[in-house]
Amino acid sequence: MGILVNPDNLAFQVALNSEIYVDKSGLIKYTNKVLNTLQAYICNSRPRRFGKSITANMLTAYYSRGCNSEEMFAGLEIGKSADFKKHLNQYDVIHLDIQWCIEPAGGPERVVSYISEKTIAELAEYYPGVLKEKTESLPEVLSRINGATGKKFIVIIDEWDVLIRDKDVNKRVQEEYINFLRAMFKGTEPTKYIQLAYLTGILPIKKEKTQSALNNFDEFTMLSASNLAPYIGFTEAEVKKLSEKYQQDFAEVKRWYDGYLLKDYQVYNPRAVVSVMLRGEFRSYWSETASYDVIVPLINMNYDGLKTAVIEMLSGAEVKVNVAAFQNNTEDIKSKDDVLTYMIHLGYLGYNENRKTAFVPNEEIRQELTTAVESKKWNEMLILQLNSENLLDATLDMDGVAVAEEIEKRVEAQGVHLMFGVTIDHMEQENGEKVAVLTDGSRIPADIVGLCIGTRAITETVQGEVEITRGIVVDDHMCTSVPGIYAAGDCCEGNNLESGQKQIIGLWANANHQGETAGINMAGGDAVYKGNILHNITHFMNMDFIGFGDNRMQG
């Protein structure tokens, strides 16, 4: 048992001793499945406070032949697996914590030589007959041991990217480190001596041009977590159980600490969830482990659209982001998209993989970002706050003119020219171009012309069969004037609860409830749908519009 080679299981035992430990040993089922395969090269990146080191310590405790961990794992999820004992404490494990290695090495420039010298010295105690000749190359030593004994190694590297993230580390040191990793893991020879390679850090593996410097690794990131999604952070089911046990309002926990979308999972910040359970205080726990030295320089980089994007996200919008260009290297940030992608990896933003958008994931992060923005006194943010307050006051005061003027100003600020009191009279062709001719005689060349004229129910198929006014007339059971024939959705009239009148509602929610009611009654049930209040919720020009009620009514 050594410091770097075949460590004991005491580090993972500390996690198990804690009042709150959420079992993530199911990850070992996956790593067991890929042992000694081309998929055995894993880089699992995630933000601070998301359990990177606990996971690395768990894998070490399970695989290292420097300890006996059967009792430790027997009661966990992996203990139920059929091959639980097959791989338990059966391998030579090399566990490297790069952050820790910097100090005993004497600085970043000595990390690679320290790791090589220390690991080779510890391996020599296990394989004295093999390592008779002196060598300074760790990959060569692993190859020689494998050639003589057939033994394969599990290599676990925690904080693998600390030398890449730190701008104070010069490029020569970074290149030496990347070359060391290449020699360890890339090519034909490493496949002979590597049983499993597991790297964890904040950043994915550094790119060179468009390709990963270690392109034989499967990467699981905050952009795409794939099979490892439930093992990055706490899942919703896990947080619900904790909320019940510690009598915390789950809805409030979700508002504060949820929001990371990974595959099919809503993922929560583990450190924050544990803190709120034990302390009972809903607040940001982020700044206890991270510094504004990270986020403030990022959001103040002078890239087109960056400040606007941050402000829009703080107001609840999602922003399109191209995550492919980022080189996974803080020295090569060159655009707004690079900054936003790095912020996703840091956990300051969430990412919707389907829509390719970034967003502020929860209240904790919203407060951190707001504080960071306010500390720099952005004029854009101050103006937005003032205008938003004025708009809210005008809305509450029923000042329709002031509300309309503010909305008009925001729309025109995005390049839209509004014209009032006119509509399209007809279309013409002029020099091969389409021209819209308005009722005031003005002419507007156009590529696309859209007309919004409202909705009209298509009822021809039942004309003369059931009662129809503007739409098919139904009662509160969705039954038409003919017993046994039901109608639902935009083809029929609904009950406007505000006016008490029948009319075509034209809303998805109304159609959904009408359809459900009709279906239940057609199946022999007895369901009633009383109606709906007219409302509309939409997002347009980076503004959210919410309207309730019928503006044609007085009083």
Side-chain angles (χ1 to χ4, degrees):
M1 172 181 0
I3 296 176
L4 305 182
V5 178
N6 293 330
D8 57 33
N9 55 21
L10 296 181
F12 184 54
Q13 184 62 58
V14 172
L16 295 178
N17 292 343
S18 303
E19 181 174 338
I20 295 178
Y21 170 73
V22 174
D23 183 5
K24 295 293 181 179
S25 64
L27 170 65
I28 300 174
K29 293 181 182 179
Y30 178 81
T31 55
N32 280 346
K33 183 175 74 172
V34 300
L35 288 174
N36 200 28
T37 71
L38 294 178
Q39 288 70 50
Y41 299 82
I42 298 168
C43 182
N44 184 3
S45 57
R46 49 180 117 166
R48 290 186 181 93
R49 315 176 311 152
F50 271 68
K52 296 187 299 295
S53 296
I54 292 176
T55 300
N57 293 336
M58 176 185 73
L59 293 173
T60 296
Y62 178 79
Y63 288 117
S64 172
R65 69 184 181 98
C67 52
N68 183 346
S69 303
E70 182 173 352
E71 183 178 347
M72 176 181 287
F73 285 98
L76 299 181
E77 180 66 25
I78 187 60
K80 304 172 187 176
S81 176
D83 61 355
F84 165 52
K85 293 185 180 180
K86 177 180 177 181
H87 302 290
L88 181 66
N89 302 130
Q90 296 298 309
Y91 300 98
D92 284 320
V93 172
I94 299 172
H95 183 136
L96 308 174
D97 181 340
I98 305 302
Q99 180 70 64
W100 181 85
C101 287
I102 292 175
E103 194 280 329
E109 65 280 356
R110 285 272 305 151
V111 165
V112 171
S113 58
Y114 170 81
I115 289 172
S116 299
E117 293 166 7
K118 187 71 176 175
T119 306
I120 291 170
E122 292 187 14
L123 285 169
E125 296 179 13
Y126 283 94
Y127 302 99
V130 176
L131 301 181
K132 293 179 181 179
E133 299 179 13
K134 182 176 176 61
T135 177
E136 297 179 352
S137 169
L138 178 56
E140 182 183 344
V141 165
L142 298 180
S143 180
R144 283 168 54 185
I145 293 173
N146 172 259
T149 68
K151 291 280 189 180
K152 304 191 76 166
F153 295 85
I154 290 179
V155 181
I156 298 168
I157 303 182
D158 191 11
E159 297 284 2
W160 88 267
D161 59 331
V162 67
L163 298 180
I164 306 299
R165 294 194 321 264
D166 190 348
K167 289 185 178 181
D168 293 331
V169 177
N170 66 52
K171 287 193 174 183
R172 183 190 62 79
V173 172
Q174 292 182 351
E175 289 173 2
E176 180 189 22
Y177 177 58
I178 290 294
N179 288 334
F180 167 73
L181 294 178
R182 276 202 193 95
M184 284 284 291
F185 302 120
K186 193 172 181 180
T188 300
E189 195 61 26
T191 63
K192 301 175 184 177
Y193 60 74
I194 292 294
Q195 185 81 359
L196 173 72
Y198 182 89
L199 277 58
T200 186
I202 292 175
L203 286 176
I205 293 169
K206 178 182 176 181
K207 292 181 183 178
E208 294 180 342
K209 295 183 179 178
T210 61
Q211 184 170 276
S212 168
L214 295 170
N215 60 1
N216 57 325
F217 272 75
D218 285 340
E219 299 208 52
F220 303 86
T221 73
M222 296 301 284
L223 301 174
S224 179
S226 189
N227 298 344
L228 302 195
Y231 309 113
I232 298 176
F234 289 174
T235 65
E236 189 142 279
E238 291 164 345
V239 175
K240 280 184 178 179
K241 287 183 180 179
L242 288 172
S243 298
E244 291 173 6
K245 180 178 178 180
Y246 287 89
Q247 298 181 319
Q248 295 295 334
D249 182 348
F250 171 71
E252 194 68 359
V253 175
K254 182 178 180 68
R255 184 175 77 87
W256 271 86
Y257 309 113
D258 182 25
Y260 299 97
L261 303 178
L262 300 178
K263 201 178 179 182
D264 300 325
Y265 294 87
Q266 289 277 346
V267 174
Y268 291 66
N269 178 327
R271 171 69 179 275
V273 170
V274 168
S275 296
V276 77
M277 297 301 162
L278 298 180
R279 301 187 191 185
E281 298 177 3
F282 289 96
R283 63 179 180 84
S284 174
Y285 295 97
W286 188 270
S287 56
E288 294 184 359
T289 57
S291 168
Y292 290 145
D293 292 342
V294 175
I295 193 63
V296 170
L298 284 175
I299 62 177
N300 278 283
M301 287 184 172
N302 190 27
Y303 295 121
D304 286 344
L306 178 58
K307 287 184 179 181
T308 301
V310 172
I311 291 171
E312 287 177 2
M313 288 185 289
L314 283 173
S315 67
E318 295 187 12
V319 172
K320 284 284 186 181
V321 56
N322 175 13
V323 299
F326 184 49
Q327 297 295 299
N328 302 332
N329 181 359
T330 57
E331 285 292 320
D332 292 326
I333 290 178
K334 298 175 181 176
S335 68
K336 175 194 76 173
D337 287 331
D338 285 350
V339 174
L340 297 182
T341 304
Y342 186 31
M343 290 175 70
I344 292 168
H345 289 304
L346 290 170
Y348 283 103
L349 295 176
Y351 181 67
N352 187 313
E353 190 174 358
N354 294 326
R355 294 202 290 262
K356 312 299 182 190
T357 54
F359 56 91
V360 176
N362 53 51
E363 182 61 25
E364 180 184 40
I365 298 300
R366 189 182 310 282
Q367 289 195 7
E368 290 299 312
L369 284 176
T370 300
T371 302
V373 168
E374 289 176 345
S375 72
K376 304 306 292 184
K377 295 182 172 59
W378 283 3
N379 289 335
E380 298 94 333
M381 188 66 178
L382 295 174
I383 292 170
L384 175 66
Q385 288 176 332
L386 178 61
N387 289 343
S388 296
E389 290 171 3
N390 292 340
L391 182 58
L392 177 61
D393 289 341
T395 302
L396 295 176
D397 292 340
M398 304 291 285
D399 188 346
V401 173
V403 171
E405 287 176 349
E406 179 61 29
I407 293 174
E408 179 182 350
K409 182 170 64 178
R410 295 191 184 194
V411 170
E412 288 186 335
Q414 303 206 39
V416 178
H417 176 55
L418 299 174
M419 301 178 69
F420 300 101
V422 296
T423 186
I424 296 175
D425 183 76
H426 64 278
M427 298 293 300
E428 293 182 1
Q429 283 282 122
E430 186 175 285
N431 298 324
E433 291 186 339
K434 300 179 183 69
V435 176
V437 181
L438 306 187
T439 51
D440 65 354
S442 57
R443 305 168 65 85
I444 302 176
D447 294 317
I448 298 174
V449 176
L451 290 175
C452 299
I453 59 173
T455 58
R456 183 175 63 188
I458 298 175
T459 60
E460 286 80 1
T461 55
V462 292
Q463 198 78 36
E465 302 294 331
V466 298
E467 183 182 353
I468 299 172
T469 52
R470 287 196 63 190
I472 299 171
V473 177
V474 293
D475 60 20
D476 57 10
H477 285 69
M478 297 299 108
C479 186
T480 68
S481 58
V482 178
I485 298 180
Y486 294 80
D490 293 351
C491 69
C492 70
E493 296 185 344
N495 186 25
N496 183 336
L497 293 178
E498 187 179 14
S499 67
Q501 302 297 313
K502 292 282 189 178
Q503 66 183 88
I504 294 176
I505 303 293
L507 297 173
W508 179 89
N510 182 75
N512 182 46
H513 289 302
Q514 286 184 330
E516 180 182 22
T517 303
I520 291 172
N521 292 324
M522 291 168 66
D526 183 21
V528 171
Y529 179 54
K530 293 296 185 182
N532 207 316
I533 293 176
L534 296 183
H535 65 276
N536 189 36
I537 302 173
T538 189
H539 183 80
F540 178 71
M541 290 287 176
N542 295 315
M543 290 183 288
D544 292 311
F545 293 91
I546 303 174
F548 287 93
D550 190 340
N551 62 4
R552 294 166 296 186
M553 295 182 60
Q554 299 296 317

